Structures are given as structure tokens and as C-alpha cells.
Amino acid sequence: MSRFLIPERESLVPYVPGEQPKERKYVKLNTNESPFPPSPTAIAEGEKELALLQLYPDPECARLREAVAKRYGVKEDQVIMTNGSDEVLQFAFAAFCNQSTPAVFPDITYGFYKVFADLYNLPKTVLPLKEDFTVDLPALTNAKGTLFIANPNAPTGIPLTKKEIEGVLKANPNRVVVVDEAYVDFGAESVVDLIDTYDNLLVTQTFSKSRSMAGARLGMGFANAGLIADLNRIRYSVNPYNVNRVTMAAGMGSIKDEGYFQNNCKEIISLREETSQALQKMGFTLTPSKANFLFAKHERVGGEEIYLKLKEKGVLVRHFTGERIKEYNRITVGSAEEMQALLTALKEIV
């Protein structure tokens, strides 16, 4: 770091993205990207905007918000479009947390929650997951502050039910509950349809995973109009042109191509279940994931050893070093060919 960095930032530990190696070609199962390309309609719609890049995009994302609102059965003023769902989360930390309102989240969850809390110098309450990696609902419900719940959770892939989340909302009517649904399209229950019932609910989703648009950076938030107005207050204070016009158009194309989206989700779910069964036969223990990844450890071979040996064989998975999860690896569900390459390599290793 330079001598100019302010002292308040010296201890900040940034989020660490998954490896993006360039020295060789890998079977890349470490960053939860889709194995499928974007919808042809999304590509075609995005290409139309390339000739207009001299013009700023619509800061209100009006046409895209209209399409998203129609698709999800909400009102346009209940939607915010952002540069990836991480930006919705960042706005939420800025809008709904302060020194008297800490951020509350589990100890094993999406790493950006801690980063955002530290970036804004916010107090945080970190609640341990239970022994089986499920969320401790009573502890979460009773903790004071703004709740951040990844559902399904990452990196475990374990979901909460809509009924369980609604119980948290009912018990906490006077504080914001943020439900991060980045992986919800792979088998978990969404709570978007509860935003009219609970004015303290904010739901975030992304086009990165199920809609094959990780490289476009497009996310969205759903909440009552008041919460969305709060988020837009932050957005217009930071970056009103946060979604570029090519991404905006591609997003509209993706929403139009619902059949393509649904078929890809079904294929990934099917491959996840097939791979899970194959891994269990090889001596792996897995969490009951409802995401586009598996979280697995082997009965005899250590997590880091598996990660390093897979990398030697040209297969990348995500390894975490936290004490409770260091024996696990997170494995993105790729194409059928990629999953076969993974299984072949693992058979040689274990």
C-alpha cells in the first residue's frame, strides 16, 4: 500500500474473487459461472446498443425495470437495477446500517458481507452456523440490527424455506431483512412475492448465474417503493449511470427468452444431482445444495490436497481456508463434459 492510504483503510481485507488463471486452459468450476452462453435474444439485443455507446444509458433503467417488474409480478417502483447484485448489497449496507444498527449475518456465508461492513466501518454481529451448516434461526431472529441472509447460503448451498424466512420477517417488523437470492433459481423458494406483505423486506437477485450474464454485471433488488427510494438515494449519490446500455438491452433480451432460461436451470439441477450421487459413491460427504454448486469433503483425503491435485490435472474448484470449512471444496456445476472431467480426475486422486 502507499503512504497516502488513510489509516481507516489499512486493515481492510478485500473480497477475494475466484481464480481467473490465464497461463493455461482449465475446466473452470470455481466461480459459479453458467456453463451455457447467454440467451441468443440477449446477445442480439445487446449488440444493437453497441452503435450508441457515445450516449449515456437511461439512469432509471425504465424499460428494463418494466420488463423485470412484469416478469416477477411486482410494480416498477418496487425494482432497482444495479451493476451486479453486489451493488444492491453495497447500497443496503450504506442505507440501512450505522453505529447503532449493526449488520447481522452468519459466520459462513457470502464473503462480501464482512467486506462491506468493514468498508463502512460498521459494527457487525457474526452468528455461527449450526454444526450441520444450517442457519441458527433463533439467534438470527433475536440479534439486533439489519439482517443479511444468503438463500441458498454460500458456500454451503443450503436453503431456508419461505416459511422460515417469513418467520424471521414477522418477528422483526422494525428492521430491514435483506434476502440475497443469487442462487435461488436452482431449486430454492424465492420470497419476492412477500414484498407487499412486509415493508422491511429487501430481496436481491442477479443475472450472473441462472441467466448466464456474469460478464455483463447486472443485478436487481425488490422491495416496497420506500426501500427502493432509499437505495436510489444512495445510487444517485454514487453512480446514477450504474448499468450500461449494452447490459441493459441484454437484460431485456434475457427476460424475453424465458424458455431458454428455464431449460438451462433444469439442466444444471439435473447435473448437480447426478454429480452429487457420483461423488457420494466415491466417499464424499455433501451438503444438501440447492444452488449451482456442490460443497463436498472426502472421508480420507483433505480438502486442500484435493484442490491442489485437481488443479494439477487442469480442473479448478474453490477452496476455502476457514477452520470449519477447510476440508470442503465448492464445485460449480458445469457442462456434462466438464462434470465428467471432474469425476475422472477425482477417481484418480481419491
Side-chain angles (χ1 to χ4, degrees):
M1 67 183 71
S2 80
R3 59 192 173 92
F4 301 106
L5 185 68
I6 61 174
E8 292 83 355
R9 299 291 179 261
E10 289 179 357
S11 61
L12 184 64
V13 179
Y15 176 77
V16 180
E19 295 171 85
Q20 300 284 1
K22 299 177 177 61
E23 73 275 11
R24 62 177 286 190
K25 184 174 176 61
Y26 286 91
V27 174
K28 197 167 177 295
L29 305 176
N30 66 325
T31 50
N32 297 342
E33 296 151 318
S34 174
F36 306 110
S39 147
T41 310
I43 295 171
E45 293 294 326
E47 286 177 344
K48 293 177 183 177
E49 295 297 310
L50 291 172
L52 297 173
L53 291 183
Q54 79 276 19
L55 302 175
Y56 282 111
D58 172 16
E60 296 184 358
C61 300
R63 292 177 57 216
L64 178 55
R65 281 194 302 115
E66 179 184 7
V68 168
K70 184 177 180 180
R71 159 64 176 81
Y72 288 90
V74 300
K75 302 180 183 70
E76 292 172 41
D77 63 2
Q78 294 177 314
V79 179
I80 184 173
M81 304 306 304
T82 54
N83 189 316
S85 60
D86 290 336
E87 192 174 50
V88 193
L89 295 168
Q90 183 179 3
F91 293 163
F93 273 87
F96 307 126
C97 301
N98 61 17
Q99 293 305 306
S100 59
T101 308
V104 181
F105 47 86
D107 62 337
I108 300 171
T109 192
Y110 185 34
F112 244 133
Y113 302 159
K114 181 180 184 301
V115 173
F116 285 143
D118 291 344
L119 176 64
Y120 291 113
N121 194 29
L122 297 167
K124 54 186 180 290
T125 301
V126 181
L127 302 171
L129 293 180
K130 293 194 289 188
E131 197 65 33
D132 62 357
F133 293 142
T134 57
V135 172
D136 187 339
L137 278 173
L140 192 74
T141 301
N142 294 325
K144 297 185 182 302
T146 298
L147 303 183
F148 292 86
I149 306 169
N151 193 49
N153 197 14
T156 66
I158 301 174
L160 291 170
T161 66
K162 179 186 287 189
K163 184 178 180 179
E164 287 172 323
I165 293 175
E166 191 164 12
V168 175
L169 289 162
K170 286 179 180 177
N172 294 278
N174 297 317
R175 57 178 173 154
V176 175
V177 178
V178 181
V179 181
D180 179 356
E181 294 187 345
Y183 301 100
V184 75
D185 294 321
F186 302 105
E189 294 179 281
S190 175
V191 293
V192 169
D193 62 351
L194 297 181
I195 62 172
D196 283 325
T197 306
Y198 300 97
D199 66 359
N200 60 328
L201 171 62
L202 168 62
V203 184
T204 71
Q205 289 194 14
T206 179
F207 282 63
S208 294
K209 319 298 182 185
S210 57
R211 294 187 181 271
S212 306
M213 287 178 55
R217 312 309 303 130
L218 184 60
M220 51 193 170
F222 302 92
N224 76 81
L227 288 185
I228 295 299
D230 296 339
L231 296 175
N232 275 318
R233 180 179 291 266
I234 303 298
R235 182 172 71 87
Y236 275 94
S237 301
V238 178
N239 183 14
Y241 298 108
N242 60 328
V243 180
N244 72 73
R245 62 187 314 123
V246 175
T247 291
M248 210 180 297
M252 285 186 283
S254 175
I255 291 293
K256 289 178 184 177
D257 206 347
E258 188 68 14
Y260 183 86
F261 155 74
Q262 294 288 354
N263 288 336
N264 286 350
C265 288
K266 289 176 183 176
E267 179 68 13
I268 288 170
I269 291 169
S270 177
L271 285 167
R272 181 187 69 205
E273 298 310 310
E274 290 175 12
T275 306
S276 175
Q277 292 173 19
L279 289 173
Q280 290 178 65
K281 290 178 181 177
M282 293 166 59
F284 282 89
T285 299
L286 297 95
T287 57
S289 174
K290 291 296 183 181
N292 68 334
F293 56 81
L294 296 163
F295 197 55
K297 71 172 182 178
H298 196 263
E299 59 190 15
R300 290 180 290 102
V301 188
E304 185 178 23
E305 182 180 352
I306 288 175
Y307 157 71
L308 291 172
K309 288 187 174 179
L310 280 173
K311 189 173 182 180
E312 289 176 5
K313 295 178 179 295
V315 179
L316 279 183
V317 297
R318 186 79 188 264
H319 181 68
F320 297 91
T321 58
E323 185 60 32
R324 293 183 65 190
I325 57 174
K326 64 183 181 181
E327 298 306 329
Y328 285 81
N329 286 294
R330 192 193 68 192
I331 304 166
T332 303
V333 178
S335 66
E337 294 76 18
E338 288 172 328
M339 302 319 287
Q340 187 55 57
L342 166 79
L343 294 173
T344 299
L346 283 173
K347 285 178 183 176
E348 297 172 1
I349 293 169
V350 305

